[in-house]
Amino acid sequence: MTGSNPTGDGAISLPAEIINAVRWAEHVVVLTGAGVSAESGVPTFRDAQTGLWATYKPEDLASVAAYRATPKLVWDWYAWRRELVTQAQPNAAHLALTAMQDIYTNFTLITQNVDGLHQRAGSHDVLELHGNLFRYKCLLCDQPATVDEWRHRSDVPACIHCGGAVRPDIVWFGEMLPSRPLAAAQFATRHCDLFLAIGTSSVVFPAAGLPLLAMEKGALVIEINPSETDLSDSAQFSIHDKAGAVLPALVHAKRNPN
Ligand code: APR
């Protein structure tokens, strides 16, 4: 386990092994979870829900069964989350990852987040394993749906192709992940030499299996999370600090080799 030592000027100092790994890596893969958006004010998944939604658990809302039973409730929950995220700004962690994408010739960003903050920070080709709050599709025919096309109804919008209910294009509990982003994430993970697992509790598979796959293929795995997780004991390094503090320090180390 590795703590980061504050240097007093707001920066943090990290062990030489981590600094060298960041400097010499040739193919970097990053997996982010809700913790990377925490410093933007977006509650993480395992944070208690707040306000009107305090009495609900995500597991009770993010499922096909819940949408079929209470479509308007689920639709309003996602509308609340979209509004929350729209008010949020990318934080130093998102911006550092955008910088990394420019620094490393071979860089893959995989996210479990659906908030689109990586893209708003300037990251591109983001592999979204769990979908995106700002994309929609039909519950029945799976066709993409857009707000300018769908038919408005009193509870939830209707698909223009089949009349089915429009739903968020988000992977719900019990659903398969989109095959293309998952295959691309697994391919990159198999071929990287440095894997950063950032802001994830590492409890939801298959995403949580990616750092383990990286380790199996010989990559160095560094976790960045203020708390202990299921990954902490197996990662070569676990930096118990905030992503918004650690990631800029890693970018600084890479940009200043001596
Ligand atoms: N920097 C880094 N990590 C942080 C920070 C921070 N500033 N703040 C919190 N964290 C960590 C927490 O300690 C926690 O381990 O972020 C992690 C967030 O964990 P979860 O809330 O479980 O979110 P995540 O890992 O992304 O969940 C994975 O589970 O519910 C499903 O589909 C959902 O994508 C989600 C998946």
Side-chain angles (χ1 to χ4, degrees):
M1 272 15 90
T2 305
S4 47
N5 305 313
T7 55
D9 60 1
I12 59 172
S13 76
L14 293 162
E17 304 96 315
I18 291 180
I19 298 296
N20 290 332
V22 164
R23 281 178 178 158
W24 298 111
E26 303 212 329
H27 181 178
V28 177
V29 171
V30 171
L31 170 68
T32 63
V36 87
S37 297
E39 292 161 79
S40 295
V42 179
T44 67
F45 249 88
R46 269 91 197 156
D47 279 344
Q49 297 237 89
T50 54
L52 174 65
W53 302 101
T55 55
Y56 296 93
K57 286 192 300 181
E59 296 82 332
D60 300 335
L61 294 164
S63 73
V64 173
Y67 197 52
R68 287 208 164 106
T70 54
K72 187 78 172 66
L73 177 74
V74 174
W75 183 269
D76 289 348
W77 180 53
Y78 280 99
W80 171 72
R81 290 179 62 197
R82 266 194 300 281
E83 183 52 32
L84 198 72
V85 165
T86 304
Q87 302 300 324
Q89 293 303 322
N91 65 61
H94 296 108
L95 296 170
L97 291 170
T98 300
M100 280 191 183
Q101 191 155 40
D102 296 335
I103 294 171
Y104 292 101
T105 44
N106 215 332
F107 180 88
T108 305
L109 177 55
I110 307 162
T111 191
Q112 301 170 89
N113 299 341
V114 296
D115 57 31
L117 285 175
H118 284 306
Q119 292 91 327
R120 281 175 56 196
S123 291
H124 50 84
D125 305 316
V126 180
L127 296 176
E128 294 179 310
L129 296 184
H130 294 171
N132 186 298
L133 275 172
F134 299 90
R135 277 200 312 270
Y136 307 87
K137 63 182 182 181
C138 175
L139 183 67
L140 279 188
C141 69
D142 220 34
Q143 287 286 324
T146 61
V147 61
D148 343 327
E149 285 177 340
W150 65 45
R151 289 212 310 274
H152 293 270
R153 289 188 311 197
S154 56
D155 55 351
V156 298
C159 166
I160 55 161
H161 305 288
C162 75
V166 171
R167 56 168 282 186
D169 185 6
I170 289 199
V171 178
W172 279 340
F173 288 98
E175 290 188 311
M176 301 288 285
L177 271 62
S179 52
R180 194 196 61 79
L182 179 58
Q186 290 167 331
F187 181 84
T189 298
R190 283 197 179 87
H191 297 89
C192 70
D193 53 7
L194 178 61
F195 189 102
L196 305 180
I198 308 169
T200 180
S201 55
S202 293
V203 294
V204 174
F205 285 78
L210 292 172
L212 307 176
L213 174 62
M215 235 175 294
E216 193 188 298
K217 297 295 181 185
L220 180 78
V221 174
I222 300 174
E223 175 186 46
I224 300 170
N225 190 324
S227 313
E228 290 279 325
T229 71
D230 292 356
L231 179 62
S232 301
D233 284 344
S234 39
Q236 283 97 330
F237 293 99
S238 193
I239 305 172
H240 292 311
D241 205 331
K242 294 183 171 184
V246 175
L247 288 171
L250 298 183
V251 170
H252 178 79
K254 175 67 179 170
R255 282 178 167 155
N256 301 276
N258 39 22

